[in-house]
Amino acid sequence: MTPKPYTHRDAVPYRPLDWTGVQPPVFAPGSVPAHVAIVMDGNGRWANRRGLSRVEGHKAGESALLDVVAGAIQAGVTHLSVYAFSTENWSRSPDEVRFLMGFNRDVLHRRRDQLNEWDVRVRWAGRRPRLWGSVVKELQHAERLTQHNRTLTLTMCVNYGGRVELVDAMRGIADDVAAGRLKPSAVTEKLIGRRLYVPDMPDVDLFVRSSGEQRTSNFLLWESAYAEYVFLDTLWPDFSREHLWRAIDLYQSRDRRFGGAVDKPGPTA
Ligand code: FPP
């Protein structure tokens, strides 16, 4: 397929999937996490260390995201969820909030064709109230454009918070119970999962945070109940597909037991 050049005014050039020419390590079959969640942290520090304003760090984070999406596809990851704006981010300065809203809108606008060509399905997880209408419009446009793509599902978590996601789900369930549409005994883990923002989102296998901070910051709380956590020191604008592959490598060394346990006799047991 011939790559299409960008025409948008802020265009960062179109890039084919393998523009770096770097190939992922050979991962053992079946060992690649299906769903990777990423907290893209450290933009502000990256910028401030260079004497720049925080928004310059967010700008630099765009190509890191695109590189990581490409690396996820190369590695065989099928779901990637990224924390682009949290329900707590509204407490930042009005200037930064305004920038982040406009930036989310513009990134979606200028990258949707590229993501579509990469066979990426874009989805949105988050709350509608307060979110700029223009951001919602771009999210919905990208969702419609890419709805039949299957190689990778990229969930943009915008105005997302893990606790409010559960609050919204519980309110819907409580309404149904109060109206007699649902019996309390029918409320199961499966049913709650179906009331979340993206009902068919699989559980997170690997949860990655950049920048050296070791917190979950209210990201995908329900979905990450059995995720493996990897914290890397690299600030998000310096993050690349190779960092993702390093995180996958660390994930593969973990022993996931999901609460079960078996005897492993021997000196290292
Ligand atoms: C956290 O870094 C980052 C954000 C709140 C914004 C995330 C946005 C990007 C990574 C840009 C990519 C673009 C899109 C639209 C997905 P921080 O500001 O908390 O950094 P700090 O911890 O160093 O202050």
Side-chain angles (χ1 to χ4, degrees):
M1 196 182 294
T2 317
K4 272 193 270 169
Y6 276 110
T7 53
H8 188 262
R9 64 191 155 80
D10 287 326
V12 182
Y14 172 91
R15 285 166 162 170
L17 196 55
D18 59 351
W19 80 85
T20 63
V22 188
Q23 292 301 315
V26 180
F27 295 120
S31 66
V32 172
H35 186 182
V36 178
I38 305 188
V39 180
M40 307 179 288
D41 194 18
N43 296 342
R45 277 164 286 165
W46 180 92
N48 288 169
R49 281 177 199 174
R50 286 163 175 74
L52 303 170
S53 68
R54 298 177 52 78
V55 301
E56 296 305 319
H58 299 317
K59 286 184 196 168
E62 179 182 345
S63 52
L65 175 62
L66 264 285
D67 198 39
V68 166
V69 170
I73 294 171
Q74 285 177 302
V77 171
T78 54
H79 290 77
L80 181 68
S81 299
V82 296
Y83 214 2
F85 190 90
S86 78
T87 44
E88 288 70 39
N89 286 153
W90 293 105
S91 65
R92 295 195 172 191
S93 74
D95 278 352
E96 186 170 349
V97 167
R98 205 173 307 115
F99 174 82
L100 282 168
M101 282 293 120
F103 188 58
N104 268 278
R105 178 196 61 216
D106 293 350
V107 168
L108 285 158
H109 186 87
R110 63 174 163 263
R111 295 300 186 174
R112 66 185 180 218
D113 289 339
Q114 179 167 4
L115 292 169
N116 194 30
E117 281 186 32
W118 289 1
D119 201 35
V120 172
R121 181 180 188 190
V122 177
R123 302 200 81 178
W124 166 40
R127 235 186 188 184
R128 178 66 186 83
R130 281 189 94 174
L131 194 52
W132 284 14
S134 58
V135 178
V136 175
K137 231 172 90 188
E138 287 297 342
L139 283 160
Q140 290 172 340
H141 188 126
E143 284 192 325
R144 268 195 315 276
L145 176 73
T146 63
Q147 62 187 315
H148 301 300
N149 296 344
R150 289 294 175 265
T151 298
L152 176 81
T153 297
L154 172 66
T155 304
M156 301 292 296
C157 300
V158 186
N159 200 21
Y160 175 87
R163 286 186 172 179
V164 293
E165 179 177 36
L166 290 172
V167 168
D168 288 346
M170 298 311 156
R171 278 189 191 153
I173 291 170
D175 280 348
D176 285 351
V177 169
R181 290 187 293 267
L182 188 67
K183 288 193 187 131
S185 59
V187 180
T188 59
E189 288 187 23
K190 203 168 161 188
L191 181 123
I192 292 171
R194 283 203 303 266
R195 301 293 184 112
L196 301 178
Y197 294 137
V198 182
D200 52 346
M201 176 189 279
D203 280 353
V204 173
D205 298 299
L206 169 61
F207 184 114
V208 180
R209 183 173 189 140
S210 60
S211 91
E213 303 290 349
Q214 303 193 358
R215 290 189 290 279
T216 60
S217 295
N218 203 17
F219 191 41
L220 297 175
L221 297 180
W222 180 274
E223 299 84 344
S224 299
Y226 271 99
E228 293 296 326
Y229 285 77
V230 170
F231 300 103
L232 297 178
D233 287 339
T234 309
L235 301 175
W236 181 253
D238 291 329
F239 214 88
S240 70
R241 63 183 83 191
E242 286 162 290
H243 294 93
L244 173 71
W245 298 337
R246 167 88 188 118
I248 294 175
D249 198 42
L250 289 166
Y251 165 88
Q252 292 185 332
S253 66
R254 305 277 174 87
D255 181 17
R256 296 186 85 194
R257 293 192 296 276
F258 299 97
V262 287
D263 277 327
K264 284 186 188 166
T268 57

